[in-house]
Amino acid sequence: MYLTYTQAAFVIPDCYKDYCLSRAEESLRQWKVNVSRYHLYVNKNTGEIKSHPPKAYPNITQAHWDSFKEYRGSEKFKALNKKNRENIAKKKSIFYGSRGGYRLVKETLVSLFNNVLSYSHTKQNNIINDCYYN
């Protein structure tokens, strides 16, 4: 669906189609989050949802807005949201990257630093013991 709309407006070589699709899906997901965060609720504390689409987005029809509200208020979405929040709370680090990213680098550096300290401490004790007891 996204690719069809994108190809109608742009000429995309075959080698970039996957990248364009992933960026379009990512952008759409972020847009939905922003609409939910800033335009969905009359009062977020009470959970009261606006009955009309936001004026900031005149291209959203009432039918689309109703289906968006219905999905965001559904038990399926709430369960998924709760599960995702629990998974995010379990993470050790907020950084993302390949093959562990910054978290892995940090853990590796801490491990190396601790090894150096323990080696240094052991070496120092050995030198002290050699000087005093030999």
Side-chain angles (χ1 to χ4, degrees), residues 31-37 39-40 49 54 60 62-74 77:
W31 181 79
K32 286 179 181 179
V33 167
N34 287 338
V35 170
S36 295
R37 184 176 292 152
H39 301 288
L40 183 62
I49 297 177
I60 299 176
Q62 187 64 42
H64 285 129
W65 182 253
D66 291 338
S67 66
F68 183 71
K69 284 188 329 182
E70 184 180 320
Y71 175 69
R72 290 293 173 150
S74 70
F77 178 78

mmCIF file with all atom_site columns, all heavy atoms in Angstrom, residues 31-37 39-40 49 54 60 62-74 77:
data_model
loop_
_atom_site.group_PDB
_atom_site.id
_atom_site.type_symbol
_atom_site.label_atom_id
_atom_site.label_alt_id
_atom_site.label_comp_id
_atom_site.label_asym_id
_atom_site.label_entity_id
_atom_site.label_seq_id
_atom_site.pdbx_PDB_ins_code
_atom_site.Cartn_x
_atom_site.Cartn_y
_atom_site.Cartn_z
_atom_site.occupancy
_atom_site.B_iso_or_equiv
_atom_site.pdbx_formal_charge
_atom_site.auth_seq_id
_atom_site.auth_comp_id
_atom_site.auth_asym_id
_atom_site.auth_atom_id
_atom_site.pdbx_PDB_model_num
ATOM 1   N N   . TRP A 1 31 ? 4.046   9.164  13.304 1.00 0.00 ? 31 TRP A N   1
ATOM 2   C CA  . TRP A 1 31 ? 2.949   10.115 13.134 1.00 0.00 ? 31 TRP A CA  1
ATOM 3   C C   . TRP A 1 31 ? 1.745   9.695  13.980 1.00 0.00 ? 31 TRP A C   1
ATOM 4   O O   . TRP A 1 31 ? 1.120   10.521 14.635 1.00 0.00 ? 31 TRP A O   1
ATOM 5   C CB  . TRP A 1 31 ? 2.579   10.195 11.654 1.00 0.00 ? 31 TRP A CB  1
ATOM 6   C CG  . TRP A 1 31 ? 1.476   11.170 11.387 1.00 0.00 ? 31 TRP A CG  1
ATOM 7   C CD1 . TRP A 1 31 ? 1.578   12.524 11.314 1.00 0.00 ? 31 TRP A CD1 1
ATOM 8   C CD2 . TRP A 1 31 ? 0.108   10.849 11.179 1.00 0.00 ? 31 TRP A CD2 1
ATOM 9   N NE1 . TRP A 1 31 ? 0.347   13.068 11.057 1.00 0.00 ? 31 TRP A NE1 1
ATOM 10  C CE2 . TRP A 1 31 ? -0.581  12.052 10.970 1.00 0.00 ? 31 TRP A CE2 1
ATOM 11  C CE3 . TRP A 1 31 ? -0.619  9.663  11.139 1.00 0.00 ? 31 TRP A CE3 1
ATOM 12  C CZ2 . TRP A 1 31 ? -1.939  12.111 10.729 1.00 0.00 ? 31 TRP A CZ2 1
ATOM 13  C CZ3 . TRP A 1 31 ? -1.972  9.722  10.893 1.00 0.00 ? 31 TRP A CZ3 1
ATOM 14  C CH2 . TRP A 1 31 ? -2.617  10.937 10.699 1.00 0.00 ? 31 TRP A CH2 1
ATOM 15  N N   . LYS A 1 32 ? 1.430   8.397  13.992 1.00 0.00 ? 32 LYS A N   1
ATOM 16  C CA  . LYS A 1 32 ? 0.314   7.907  14.808 1.00 0.00 ? 32 LYS A CA  1
ATOM 17  C C   . LYS A 1 32 ? 0.566   8.162  16.295 1.00 0.00 ? 32 LYS A C   1
ATOM 18  O O   . LYS A 1 32 ? -0.346  8.527  17.028 1.00 0.00 ? 32 LYS A O   1
ATOM 19  C CB  . LYS A 1 32 ? 0.101   6.410  14.586 1.00 0.00 ? 32 LYS A CB  1
ATOM 20  C CG  . LYS A 1 32 ? -0.535  6.060  13.268 1.00 0.00 ? 32 LYS A CG  1
ATOM 21  C CD  . LYS A 1 32 ? -0.679  4.554  13.164 1.00 0.00 ? 32 LYS A CD  1
ATOM 22  C CE  . LYS A 1 32 ? -1.272  4.103  11.876 1.00 0.00 ? 32 LYS A CE  1
ATOM 23  N NZ  . LYS A 1 32 ? -1.375  2.638  11.801 1.00 0.00 ? 32 LYS A NZ  1
ATOM 24  N N   . VAL A 1 33 ? 1.807   7.971  16.715 1.00 0.00 ? 33 VAL A N   1
ATOM 25  C CA  . VAL A 1 33 ? 2.154   8.241  18.114 1.00 0.00 ? 33 VAL A CA  1
ATOM 26  C C   . VAL A 1 33 ? 1.940   9.717  18.428 1.00 0.00 ? 33 VAL A C   1
ATOM 27  O O   . VAL A 1 33 ? 1.354   10.068 19.455 1.00 0.00 ? 33 VAL A O   1
ATOM 28  C CB  . VAL A 1 33 ? 3.613   7.816  18.405 1.00 0.00 ? 33 VAL A CB  1
ATOM 29  C CG1 . VAL A 1 33 ? 4.088   8.366  19.739 1.00 0.00 ? 33 VAL A CG1 1
ATOM 30  C CG2 . VAL A 1 33 ? 3.741   6.310  18.383 1.00 0.00 ? 33 VAL A CG2 1
ATOM 31  N N   . ASN A 1 34 ? 2.396   10.592 17.534 1.00 0.00 ? 34 ASN A N   1
ATOM 32  C CA  . ASN A 1 34 ? 2.230   12.029 17.769 1.00 0.00 ? 34 ASN A CA  1
ATOM 33  C C   . ASN A 1 34 ? 0.758   12.435 17.784 1.00 0.00 ? 34 ASN A C   1
ATOM 34  O O   . ASN A 1 34 ? 0.355   13.252 18.608 1.00 0.00 ? 34 ASN A O   1
ATOM 35  C CB  . ASN A 1 34 ? 2.992   12.831 16.714 1.00 0.00 ? 34 ASN A CB  1
ATOM 36  C CG  . ASN A 1 34 ? 4.483   12.774 16.928 1.00 0.00 ? 34 ASN A CG  1
ATOM 37  O OD1 . ASN A 1 34 ? 4.949   12.501 18.028 1.00 0.00 ? 34 ASN A OD1 1
ATOM 38  N ND2 . ASN A 1 34 ? 5.238   12.999 15.869 1.00 0.00 ? 34 ASN A ND2 1
ATOM 39  N N   . VAL A 1 35 ? -0.025  11.891 16.879 1.00 0.00 ? 35 VAL A N   1
ATOM 40  C CA  . VAL A 1 35 ? -1.462  12.204 16.869 1.00 0.00 ? 35 VAL A CA  1
ATOM 41  C C   . VAL A 1 35 ? -2.098  11.719 18.167 1.00 0.00 ? 35 VAL A C   1
ATOM 42  O O   . VAL A 1 35 ? -2.892  12.430 18.783 1.00 0.00 ? 35 VAL A O   1
ATOM 43  C CB  . VAL A 1 35 ? -2.169  11.588 15.637 1.00 0.00 ? 35 VAL A CB  1
ATOM 44  C CG1 . VAL A 1 35 ? -3.674  11.696 15.762 1.00 0.00 ? 35 VAL A CG1 1
ATOM 45  C CG2 . VAL A 1 35 ? -1.715  12.280 14.365 1.00 0.00 ? 35 VAL A CG2 1
ATOM 46  N N   . SER A 1 36 ? -1.728  10.519 18.594 1.00 0.00 ? 36 SER A N   1
ATOM 47  C CA  . SER A 1 36 ? -2.289  9.999  19.844 1.00 0.00 ? 36 SER A CA  1
ATOM 48  C C   . SER A 1 36 ? -1.860  10.830 21.039 1.00 0.00 ? 36 SER A C   1
ATOM 49  O O   . SER A 1 36 ? -2.654  11.109 21.933 1.00 0.00 ? 36 SER A O   1
ATOM 50  C CB  . SER A 1 36 ? -1.835  8.556  20.076 1.00 0.00 ? 36 SER A CB  1
ATOM 51  O OG  . SER A 1 36 ? -2.362  7.720  19.087 1.00 0.00 ? 36 SER A OG  1
ATOM 52  N N   . ARG A 1 37 ? -0.615  11.222 21.052 1.00 0.00 ? 37 ARG A N   1
ATOM 53  C CA  . ARG A 1 37 ? -0.079  11.946 22.204 1.00 0.00 ? 37 ARG A CA  1
ATOM 54  C C   . ARG A 1 37 ? -0.646  13.356 22.313 1.00 0.00 ? 37 ARG A C   1
ATOM 55  O O   . ARG A 1 37 ? -0.977  13.827 23.406 1.00 0.00 ? 37 ARG A O   1
ATOM 56  C CB  . ARG A 1 37 ? 1.436   12.010 22.099 1.00 0.00 ? 37 ARG A CB  1
ATOM 57  C CG  . ARG A 1 37 ? 2.095   12.668 23.294 1.00 0.00 ? 37 ARG A CG  1
ATOM 58  C CD  . ARG A 1 37 ? 3.602   12.628 23.203 1.00 0.00 ? 37 ARG A CD  1
ATOM 59  N NE  . ARG A 1 37 ? 4.039   11.246 23.332 1.00 0.00 ? 37 ARG A NE  1
ATOM 60  C CZ  . ARG A 1 37 ? 5.154   10.759 22.806 1.00 0.00 ? 37 ARG A CZ  1
ATOM 61  N NH1 . ARG A 1 37 ? 5.941   11.542 22.106 1.00 0.00 ? 37 ARG A NH1 1
ATOM 62  N NH2 . ARG A 1 37 ? 5.490   9.501  22.961 1.00 0.00 ? 37 ARG A NH2 1
ATOM 63  N N   . HIS A 1 39 ? -3.213  14.917 20.069 1.00 0.00 ? 39 HIS A N   1
ATOM 64  C CA  . HIS A 1 39 ? -4.497  15.304 19.483 1.00 0.00 ? 39 HIS A CA  1
ATOM 65  C C   . HIS A 1 39 ? -5.648  14.356 19.791 1.00 0.00 ? 39 HIS A C   1
ATOM 66  O O   . HIS A 1 39 ? -6.783  14.655 19.458 1.00 0.00 ? 39 HIS A O   1
ATOM 67  C CB  . HIS A 1 39 ? -4.363  15.414 17.950 1.00 0.00 ? 39 HIS A CB  1
ATOM 68  C CG  . HIS A 1 39 ? -3.333  16.401 17.514 1.00 0.00 ? 39 HIS A CG  1
ATOM 69  N ND1 . HIS A 1 39 ? -3.507  17.761 17.626 1.00 0.00 ? 39 HIS A ND1 1
ATOM 70  C CD2 . HIS A 1 39 ? -2.100  16.226 16.971 1.00 0.00 ? 39 HIS A CD2 1
ATOM 71  C CE1 . HIS A 1 39 ? -2.437  18.379 17.163 1.00 0.00 ? 39 HIS A CE1 1
ATOM 72  N NE2 . HIS A 1 39 ? -1.566  17.465 16.767 1.00 0.00 ? 39 HIS A NE2 1
ATOM 73  N N   . LEU A 1 40 ? -5.403  13.211 20.380 1.00 0.00 ? 40 LEU A N   1
ATOM 74  C CA  . LEU A 1 40 ? -6.456  12.213 20.567 1.00 0.00 ? 40 LEU A CA  1
ATOM 75  C C   . LEU A 1 40 ? -7.359  12.521 21.756 1.00 0.00 ? 40 LEU A C   1
ATOM 76  O O   . LEU A 1 40 ? -8.567  12.375 21.675 1.00 0.00 ? 40 LEU A O   1
ATOM 77  C CB  . LEU A 1 40 ? -5.841  10.820 20.726 1.00 0.00 ? 40 LEU A CB  1
ATOM 78  C CG  . LEU A 1 40 ? -6.797  9.646  20.862 1.00 0.00 ? 40 LEU A CG  1
ATOM 79  C CD1 . LEU A 1 40 ? -7.647  9.509  19.599 1.00 0.00 ? 40 LEU A CD1 1
ATOM 80  C CD2 . LEU A 1 40 ? -6.035  8.365  21.105 1.00 0.00 ? 40 LEU A CD2 1
ATOM 81  N N   . ILE A 1 49 ? -11.786 10.967 24.850 1.00 0.00 ? 49 ILE A N   1
ATOM 82  C CA  . ILE A 1 49 ? -11.266 11.065 23.487 1.00 0.00 ? 49 ILE A CA  1
ATOM 83  C C   . ILE A 1 49 ? -12.080 12.075 22.685 1.00 0.00 ? 49 ILE A C   1
ATOM 84  O O   . ILE A 1 49 ? -13.309 12.129 22.803 1.00 0.00 ? 49 ILE A O   1
ATOM 85  C CB  . ILE A 1 49 ? -11.295 9.684  22.802 1.00 0.00 ? 49 ILE A CB  1
ATOM 86  C CG1 . ILE A 1 49 ? -10.360 8.723  23.550 1.00 0.00 ? 49 ILE A CG1 1
ATOM 87  C CG2 . ILE A 1 49 ? -10.886 9.780  21.353 1.00 0.00 ? 49 ILE A CG2 1
ATOM 88  C CD1 . ILE A 1 49 ? -10.366 7.318  23.024 1.00 0.00 ? 49 ILE A CD1 1
ATOM 89  N N   . PRO A 1 54 ? -8.433  16.281 14.543 1.00 0.00 ? 54 PRO A N   1
ATOM 90  C CA  . PRO A 1 54 ? -7.791  17.562 14.854 1.00 0.00 ? 54 PRO A CA  1
ATOM 91  C C   . PRO A 1 54 ? -7.759  18.488 13.643 1.00 0.00 ? 54 PRO A C   1
ATOM 92  O O   . PRO A 1 54 ? -7.638  18.041 12.510 1.00 0.00 ? 54 PRO A O   1
ATOM 93  C CB  . PRO A 1 54 ? -6.382  17.165 15.273 1.00 0.00 ? 54 PRO A CB  1
ATOM 94  C CG  . PRO A 1 54 ? -6.163  15.817 14.706 1.00 0.00 ? 54 PRO A CG  1
ATOM 95  C CD  . PRO A 1 54 ? -7.503  15.169 14.606 1.00 0.00 ? 54 PRO A CD  1
ATOM 96  N N   . ILE A 1 60 ? -7.573  14.232 7.482  1.00 0.00 ? 60 ILE A N   1
ATOM 97  C CA  . ILE A 1 60 ? -8.142  13.088 8.203  1.00 0.00 ? 60 ILE A CA  1
ATOM 98  C C   . ILE A 1 60 ? -9.663  13.194 8.143  1.00 0.00 ? 60 ILE A C   1
ATOM 99  O O   . ILE A 1 60 ? -10.250 14.165 8.610  1.00 0.00 ? 60 ILE A O   1
ATOM 100 C CB  . ILE A 1 60 ? -7.692  13.067 9.681  1.00 0.00 ? 60 ILE A CB  1
ATOM 101 C CG1 . ILE A 1 60 ? -6.180  12.948 9.780  1.00 0.00 ? 60 ILE A CG1 1
ATOM 102 C CG2 . ILE A 1 60 ? -8.361  11.925 10.422 1.00 0.00 ? 60 ILE A CG2 1
ATOM 103 C CD1 . ILE A 1 60 ? -5.650  13.016 11.192 1.00 0.00 ? 60 ILE A CD1 1
ATOM 104 N N   . GLN A 1 62 ? -13.620 11.941 8.977  1.00 0.00 ? 62 GLN A N   1
ATOM 105 C CA  . GLN A 1 62 ? -14.296 11.516 10.192 1.00 0.00 ? 62 GLN A CA  1
ATOM 106 C C   . GLN A 1 62 ? -14.307 9.985  10.303 1.00 0.00 ? 62 GLN A C   1
ATOM 107 O O   . GLN A 1 62 ? -14.145 9.433  11.387 1.00 0.00 ? 62 GLN A O   1
ATOM 108 C CB  . GLN A 1 62 ? -15.738 12.052 10.229 1.00 0.00 ? 62 GLN A CB  1
ATOM 109 C CG  . GLN A 1 62 ? -16.467 11.789 11.530 1.00 0.00 ? 62 GLN A CG  1
ATOM 110 C CD  . GLN A 1 62 ? -15.833 12.503 12.720 1.00 0.00 ? 62 GLN A CD  1
ATOM 111 O OE1 . GLN A 1 62 ? -15.435 13.652 12.617 1.00 0.00 ? 62 GLN A OE1 1
ATOM 112 N NE2 . GLN A 1 62 ? -15.736 11.816 13.841 1.00 0.00 ? 62 GLN A NE2 1
ATOM 113 N N   . ALA A 1 63 ? -14.451 9.301  9.173  1.00 0.00 ? 63 ALA A N   1
ATOM 114 C CA  . ALA A 1 63 ? -14.452 7.827  9.196  1.00 0.00 ? 63 ALA A CA  1
ATOM 115 C C   . ALA A 1 63 ? -13.093 7.283  9.641  1.00 0.00 ? 63 ALA A C   1
ATOM 116 O O   . ALA A 1 63 ? -13.022 6.346  10.451 1.00 0.00 ? 63 ALA A O   1
ATOM 117 C CB  . ALA A 1 63 ? -14.805 7.288  7.815  1.00 0.00 ? 63 ALA A CB  1
ATOM 118 N N   . HIS A 1 64 ? -12.013 7.874  9.119  1.00 0.00 ? 64 HIS A N   1
ATOM 119 C CA  . HIS A 1 64 ? -10.680 7.458  9.539  1.00 0.00 ? 64 HIS A CA  1
ATOM 120 C C   . HIS A 1 64 ? -10.457 7.758  11.020 1.00 0.00 ? 64 HIS A C   1
ATOM 121 O O   . HIS A 1 64 ? -9.867  6.955  11.746 1.00 0.00 ? 64 HIS A O   1
ATOM 122 C CB  . HIS A 1 64 ? -9.598  8.154  8.707  1.00 0.00 ? 64 HIS A CB  1
ATOM 123 C CG  . HIS A 1 64 ? -9.464  7.606  7.333  1.00 0.00 ? 64 HIS A CG  1
ATOM 124 N ND1 . HIS A 1 64 ? -9.472  8.405  6.235  1.00 0.00 ? 64 HIS A ND1 1
ATOM 125 C CD2 . HIS A 1 64 ? -9.324  6.336  6.885  1.00 0.00 ? 64 HIS A CD2 1
ATOM 126 C CE1 . HIS A 1 64 ? -9.339  7.663  5.143  1.00 0.00 ? 64 HIS A CE1 1
ATOM 127 N NE2 . HIS A 1 64 ? -9.255  6.399  5.524  1.00 0.00 ? 64 HIS A NE2 1
ATOM 128 N N   . TRP A 1 65 ? -10.930 8.915  11.445 1.00 0.00 ? 65 TRP A N   1
ATOM 129 C CA  . TRP A 1 65 ? -10.762 9.296  12.845 1.00 0.00 ? 65 TRP A CA  1
ATOM 130 C C   . TRP A 1 65 ? -11.512 8.333  13.771 1.00 0.00 ? 65 TRP A C   1
ATOM 131 O O   . TRP A 1 65 ? -10.991 7.910  14.800 1.00 0.00 ? 65 TRP A O   1
ATOM 132 C CB  . TRP A 1 65 ? -11.230 10.728 13.061 1.00 0.00 ? 65 TRP A CB  1
ATOM 133 C CG  . TRP A 1 65 ? -11.034 11.204 14.462 1.00 0.00 ? 65 TRP A CG  1
ATOM 134 C CD1 . TRP A 1 65 ? -11.988 11.409 15.398 1.00 0.00 ? 65 TRP A CD1 1
ATOM 135 C CD2 . TRP A 1 65 ? -9.791  11.526 15.089 1.00 0.00 ? 65 TRP A CD2 1
ATOM 136 N NE1 . TRP A 1 65 ? -11.435 11.842 16.565 1.00 0.00 ? 65 TRP A NE1 1
ATOM 137 C CE2 . TRP A 1 65 ? -10.082 11.920 16.404 1.00 0.00 ? 65 TRP A CE2 1
ATOM 138 C CE3 . TRP A 1 65 ? -8.469  11.515 14.671 1.00 0.00 ? 65 TRP A CE3 1
ATOM 139 C CZ2 . TRP A 1 65 ? -9.087  12.307 17.300 1.00 0.00 ? 65 TRP A CZ2 1
ATOM 140 C CZ3 . TRP A 1 65 ? -7.489  11.901 15.566 1.00 0.00 ? 65 TRP A CZ3 1
ATOM 141 C CH2 . TRP A 1 65 ? -7.802  12.282 16.853 1.00 0.00 ? 65 TRP A CH2 1
ATOM 142 N N   . ASP A 1 66 ? -12.712 7.947  13.358 1.00 0.00 ? 66 ASP A N   1
ATOM 143 C CA  . ASP A 1 66 ? -13.494 7.018  14.178 1.00 0.00 ? 66 ASP A CA  1
ATOM 144 C C   . ASP A 1 66 ? -12.812 5.658  14.286 1.00 0.00 ? 66 ASP A C   1
ATOM 145 O O   . ASP A 1 66 ? -12.762 5.058  15.371 1.00 0.00 ? 66 ASP A O   1
ATOM 146 C CB  . ASP A 1 66 ? -14.905 6.856  13.608 1.00 0.00 ? 66 ASP A CB  1
ATOM 147 C CG  . ASP A 1 66 ? -15.735 8.123  13.763 1.00 0.00 ? 66 ASP A CG  1
ATOM 148 O OD1 . ASP A 1 66 ? -15.400 8.960  14.643 1.00 0.00 ? 66 ASP A OD1 1
ATOM 149 O OD2 . ASP A 1 66 ? -16.709 8.272  13.000 1.00 0.00 ? 66 ASP A OD2 1
ATOM 150 N N   . SER A 1 67 ? -12.253 5.170  13.177 1.00 0.00 ? 67 SER A N   1
ATOM 151 C CA  . SER A 1 67 ? -11.571 3.872  13.237 1.00 0.00 ? 67 SER A CA  1
ATOM 152 C C   . SER A 1 67 ? -10.270 3.981  14.046 1.00 0.00 ? 67 SER A C   1
ATOM 153 O O   . SER A 1 67 ? -9.916  3.057  14.778 1.00 0.00 ? 67 SER A O   1
ATOM 154 C CB  . SER A 1 67 ? -11.279 3.339  11.829 1.00 0.00 ? 67 SER A CB  1
ATOM 155 O OG  . SER A 1 67 ? -10.356 4.149  11.168 1.00 0.00 ? 67 SER A OG  1
ATOM 156 N N   . PHE A 1 68 ? -9.587  5.108  13.967 1.00 0.00 ? 68 PHE A N   1
ATOM 157 C CA  . PHE A 1 68 ? -8.375  5.328  14.753 1.00 0.00 ? 68 PHE A CA  1
ATOM 158 C C   . PHE A 1 68 ? -8.706  5.355  16.243 1.00 0.00 ? 68 PHE A C   1
ATOM 159 O O   . PHE A 1 68 ? -8.033  4.719  17.060 1.00 0.00 ? 68 PHE A O   1
ATOM 160 C CB  . PHE A 1 68 ? -7.719  6.642  14.314 1.00 0.00 ? 68 PHE A CB  1
ATOM 161 C CG  . PHE A 1 68 ? -6.423  6.956  14.999 1.00 0.00 ? 68 PHE A CG  1
ATOM 162 C CD1 . PHE A 1 68 ? -5.291  6.225  14.714 1.00 0.00 ? 68 PHE A CD1 1
ATOM 163 C CD2 . PHE A 1 68 ? -6.338  7.994  15.905 1.00 0.00 ? 68 PHE A CD2 1
ATOM 164 C CE1 . PHE A 1 68 ? -4.083  6.518  15.333 1.00 0.00 ? 68 PHE A CE1 1
ATOM 165 C CE2 . PHE A 1 68 ? -5.143  8.292  16.524 1.00 0.00 ? 68 PHE A CE2 1
ATOM 166 C CZ  . PHE A 1 68 ? -4.013  7.554  16.233 1.00 0.00 ? 68 PHE A CZ  1
ATOM 167 N N   . LYS A 1 69 ? -9.771  6.078  16.590 1.00 0.00 ? 69 LYS A N   1
ATOM 168 C CA  . LYS A 1 69 ? -10.203 6.140  17.994 1.00 0.00 ? 69 LYS A CA  1
ATOM 169 C C   . LYS A 1 69 ? -10.598 4.761  18.508 1.00 0.00 ? 69 LYS A C   1
ATOM 170 O O   . LYS A 1 69 ? -10.249 4.379  19.626 1.00 0.00 ? 69 LYS A O   1
ATOM 171 C CB  . LYS A 1 69 ? -11.431 7.056  18.141 1.00 0.00 ? 69 LYS A CB  1
ATOM 172 C CG  . LYS A 1 69 ? -11.162 8.504  18.077 1.00 0.00 ? 69 LYS A CG  1
ATOM 173 C CD  . LYS A 1 69 ? -12.373 9.355  18.417 1.00 0.00 ? 69 LYS A CD  1
ATOM 174 C CE  . LYS A 1 69 ? -13.687 8.741  18.056 1.00 0.00 ? 69 LYS A CE  1
ATOM 175 N NZ  . LYS A 1 69 ? -14.843 9.557  18.327 1.00 0.00 ? 69 LYS A NZ  1
ATOM 176 N N   . GLU A 1 70 ? -11.318 4.032  17.676 1.00 0.00 ? 70 GLU A N   1
ATOM 177 C CA  . GLU A 1 70 ? -11.767 2.698  18.065 1.00 0.00 ? 70 GLU A CA  1
ATOM 178 C C   . GLU A 1 70 ? -10.586 1.771  18.319 1.00 0.00 ? 70 GLU A C   1
ATOM 179 O O   . GLU A 1 70 ? -10.555 1.042  19.313 1.00 0.00 ? 70 GLU A O   1
ATOM 180 C CB  . GLU A 1 70 ? -12.659 2.118  16.967 1.00 0.00 ? 70 GLU A CB  1
ATOM 181 C CG  . GLU A 1 70 ? -13.250 0.778  17.305 1.00 0.00 ? 70 GLU A CG  1
ATOM 182 C CD  . GLU A 1 70 ? -14.123 0.266  16.173 1.00 0.00 ? 70 GLU A CD  1
ATOM 183 O OE1 . GLU A 1 70 ? -14.852 1.074  15.572 1.00 0.00 ? 70 GLU A OE1 1
ATOM 184 O OE2 . GLU A 1 70 ? -14.049 -0.940 15.906 1.00 0.00 ? 70 GLU A OE2 1
ATOM 185 N N   . TYR A 1 71 ? -9.588  1.822  17.453 1.00 0.00 ? 71 TYR A N   1
ATOM 186 C CA  . TYR A 1 71 ? -8.414  0.965  17.629 1.00 0.00 ? 71 TYR A CA  1
ATOM 187 C C   . TYR A 1 71 ? -7.614  1.370  18.867 1.00 0.00 ? 71 TYR A C   1
ATOM 188 O O   . TYR A 1 71 ? -7.215  0.524  19.664 1.00 0.00 ? 71 TYR A O   1
ATOM 189 C CB  . TYR A 1 71 ? -7.518  1.010  16.393 1.00 0.00 ? 71 TYR A CB  1
ATOM 190 C CG  . TYR A 1 71 ? -6.244  0.224  16.594 1.00 0.00 ? 71 TYR A CG  1
ATOM 191 C CD1 . TYR A 1 71 ? -6.270  -1.163 16.699 1.00 0.00 ? 71 TYR A CD1 1
ATOM 192 C CD2 . TYR A 1 71 ? -5.025  0.868  16.725 1.00 0.00 ? 71 TYR A CD2 1
ATOM 193 C CE1 . TYR A 1 71 ? -5.114  -1.888 16.904 1.00 0.00 ? 71 TYR A CE1 1
ATOM 194 C CE2 . TYR A 1 71 ? -3.867  0.156  16.931 1.00 0.00 ? 71 TYR A CE2 1
ATOM 195 C CZ  . TYR A 1 71 ? -3.917  -1.224 17.024 1.00 0.00 ? 71 TYR A CZ  1
ATOM 196 O OH  . TYR A 1 71 ? -2.765  -1.935 17.246 1.00 0.00 ? 71 TYR A OH  1
ATOM 197 N N   . ARG A 1 72 ? -7.379  2.667  19.036 1.00 0.00 ? 72 ARG A N   1
ATOM 198 C CA  . ARG A 1 72 ? -6.586  3.136  20.183 1.00 0.00 ? 72 ARG A CA  1
ATOM 199 C C   . ARG A 1 72 ? -7.303  2.895  21.513 1.00 0.00 ? 72 ARG A C   1
ATOM 200 O O   . ARG A 1 72 ? -6.656  2.793  22.542 1.00 0.00 ? 72 ARG A O   1
ATOM 201 C CB  . ARG A 1 72 ? -6.257  4.623  20.054 1.00 0.00 ? 72 ARG A CB  1
ATOM 202 C CG  . ARG A 1 72 ? -5.262  4.934  18.961 1.00 0.00 ? 72 ARG A CG  1
ATOM 203 C CD  . ARG A 1 72 ? -3.914  4.379  19.303 1.00 0.00 ? 72 ARG A CD  1
ATOM 204 N NE  . ARG A 1 72 ? -3.004  4.522  18.183 1.00 0.00 ? 72 ARG A NE  1
ATOM 205 C CZ  . ARG A 1 72 ? -1.712  4.681  18.296 1.00 0.00 ? 72 ARG A CZ  1
ATOM 206 N NH1 . ARG A 1 72 ? -1.146  4.692  19.465 1.00 0.00 ? 72 ARG A NH1 1
ATOM 207 N NH2 . ARG A 1 72 ? -0.954  4.776  17.221 1.00 0.00 ? 72 ARG A NH2 1
ATOM 208 N N   . GLY A 1 73 ? -8.593  2.777  21.499 1.00 0.00 ? 73 GLY A N   1
ATOM 209 C CA  . GLY A 1 73 ? -9.339  2.514  22.731 1.00 0.00 ? 73 GLY A CA  1
ATOM 210 C C   . GLY A 1 73 ? -9.654  1.048  22.948 1.00 0.00 ? 73 GLY A C   1
ATOM 211 O O   . GLY A 1 73 ? -10.225 0.674  23.977 1.00 0.00 ? 73 GLY A O   1
ATOM 212 N N   . SER A 1 74 ? -9.273  0.191  22.003 1.00 0.00 ? 74 SER A N   1
ATOM 213 C CA  . SER A 1 74 ? -9.616  -1.227 22.099 1.00 0.00 ? 74 SER A CA  1
ATOM 214 C C   . SER A 1 74 ? -8.767  -1.943 23.148 1.00 0.00 ? 74 SER A C   1
ATOM 215 O O   . SER A 1 74 ? -7.676  -1.508 23.511 1.00 0.00 ? 74 SER A O   1
ATOM 216 C CB  . SER A 1 74 ? -9.423  -1.909 20.740 1.00 0.00 ? 74 SER A CB  1
ATOM 217 O OG  . SER A 1 74 ? -8.055  -1.995 20.424 1.00 0.00 ? 74 SER A OG  1
ATOM 218 N N   . PHE A 1 77 ? -5.318  -3.101 21.721 1.00 0.00 ? 77 PHE A N   1
ATOM 219 C CA  . PHE A 1 77 ? -4.277  -2.080 21.725 1.00 0.00 ? 77 PHE A CA  1
ATOM 220 C C   . PHE A 1 77 ? -3.767  -1.829 23.134 1.00 0.00 ? 77 PHE A C   1
ATOM 221 O O   . PHE A 1 77 ? -2.558  -1.693 23.350 1.00 0.00 ? 77 PHE A O   1
ATOM 222 C CB  . PHE A 1 77 ? -4.804  -0.767 21.121 1.00 0.00 ? 77 PHE A CB  1
ATOM 223 C CG  . PHE A 1 77 ? -3.778  0.326  21.149 1.00 0.00 ? 77 PHE A CG  1
ATOM 224 C CD1 . PHE A 1 77 ? -2.760  0.348  20.216 1.00 0.00 ? 77 PHE A CD1 1
ATOM 225 C CD2 . PHE A 1 77 ? -3.817  1.311  22.115 1.00 0.00 ? 77 PHE A CD2 1
ATOM 226 C CE1 . PHE A 1 77 ? -1.805  1.350  20.244 1.00 0.00 ? 77 PHE A CE1 1
ATOM 227 C CE2 . PHE A 1 77 ? -2.865  2.306  22.146 1.00 0.00 ? 77 PHE A CE2 1
ATOM 228 C CZ  . PHE A 1 77 ? -1.856  2.324  21.206 1.00 0.00 ? 77 PHE A CZ  1
#
